[in-house]
Amino acid sequence: MCLFAVDGTWSLNFNAEALGEDVSGRPVGTLESGRSNTRRFYEECAYTDNKKFYFAGPGGDGDTMLGATGNDSYQLYFSVLRAIEREVNSGNCEEIVMVGWSRGAAIISELTEGLTSLRETNSRRDPYQTQRGRRFRTLNNVIKDGELPPIKYVGLFDSVAMIQAASPVDRDWAEDIDTVKYFAHVVAGDRTMAQKGFIRINFTQPNPNVDADRSEIKLMANTTHGGVGGLDDTESAREAYDFIRNHATIAGVP
């Protein structure tokens, strides 16, 4: 199996400088210490280094405006997709595992749909402002023999795929998890972001439509969005991490 971990918006503000760069060469952190839950999962996963891949979230180059609008989510989606295609074509990945937080989780939701469409039609849906699947790109021979490995496990820390229109870009990101074996999602009960300097965002229905052999949802009623996926040394983040990690273990992720 291979792990693809996609972090949340401005995830560099939740990770330490010592963590270096992500797969795309973007900085992983700015703090002196601490990790996001997505970064923790990536580090503690027992796959060898050539079978696990970490992507800093939108706004991961430190651009505050990109983080606020989510405009680089599109580029990040294709960075992850290209990495999946590369590793599958090389024979390195027989099954796929994906874990993410916030907009990174929304990107993963979109990937489950894009990979499913690619498996079934050798075309994939363009995720960017497509109004839920009205446009496809035909991509012949992107995957050798047109075959994709199964998506074994998807674990999400409070996906914002269901975000109200804080920005036009967010409006069209995925609301579905499509054709996975194991799925787990931790949802924050306090679905607002009211920190000073942030736009106040109200989140809508907290769970996407799920097509999975096994699906588990955990609602953390008194926890904020950042409390689910943020610094891993907080009590709420540890509880959220344990839920996602335990279900990963059930799915066979070391």
Side-chain angles (χ1 to χ4, degrees), residues 101-164:
W101 173 37
S102 189
R103 279 197 183 106
I107 288 168
I108 287 172
S109 299
E110 191 73 43
L111 282 164
T112 69
E113 294 189 86
L115 291 171
T116 298
S117 69
L118 183 57
R119 182 186 291 113
E120 294 174 352
T121 68
N122 206 27
S123 300
R124 67 185 174 202
R125 183 163 63 83
D126 188 332
Y128 185 61
Q129 294 185 337
T130 59
Q131 297 299 323
R132 312 301 304 138
R134 293 179 184 172
R135 184 174 63 205
F136 285 80
R137 294 182 176 187
T138 299
L139 297 163
N140 295 321
N141 301 318
V142 173
I143 300 295
K144 287 181 180 178
D145 303 319
E147 294 294 330
L148 272 162
I151 302 172
K152 184 65 175 290
Y153 176 67
V154 168
L156 304 183
F157 296 99
D158 208 33
S159 172
V160 297
M162 298 70 59
I163 200 171
Q164 286 183 341

Side-chain angles (χ1 to χ4, degrees), residues 17-118:
E17 287 182 280
L19 299 180
E21 297 179 343
D22 74 354
V23 171
S24 304
R26 296 178 303 160
V28 171
T30 59
L31 299 179
E32 292 183 1
S33 62
R35 296 174 297 180
S36 68
N37 270 338
T38 301
R39 182 69 191 191
R40 179 185 175 187
F41 191 102
Y42 164 80
E43 291 184 350
E44 295 184 358
C45 177
Y47 292 149
T48 57
D49 288 346
N50 70 325
K51 287 185 177 290
K52 59 182 184 179
F53 308 90
Y54 173 84
F55 297 82
D61 58 357
D63 191 313
T64 301
M65 183 55 64
L66 282 178
T69 62
N71 275 307
D72 58 341
S73 298
Y74 179 66
Q75 290 88 346
L76 181 54
Y77 170 92
F78 279 106
S79 292
V80 181
L81 181 59
R82 284 192 295 268
I84 291 173
E85 291 170 345
R86 180 188 68 240
E87 298 305 319
V88 169
N89 283 335
S90 70
N92 191 37
C93 298
E94 296 179 354
E95 292 179 313
I96 293 170
V97 173
M98 294 188 284
V99 172
W101 173 37
S102 189
R103 279 197 183 106
I107 288 168
I108 287 172
S109 299
E110 191 73 43
L111 282 164
T112 69
E113 294 189 86
L115 291 171
T116 298
S117 69
L118 183 57

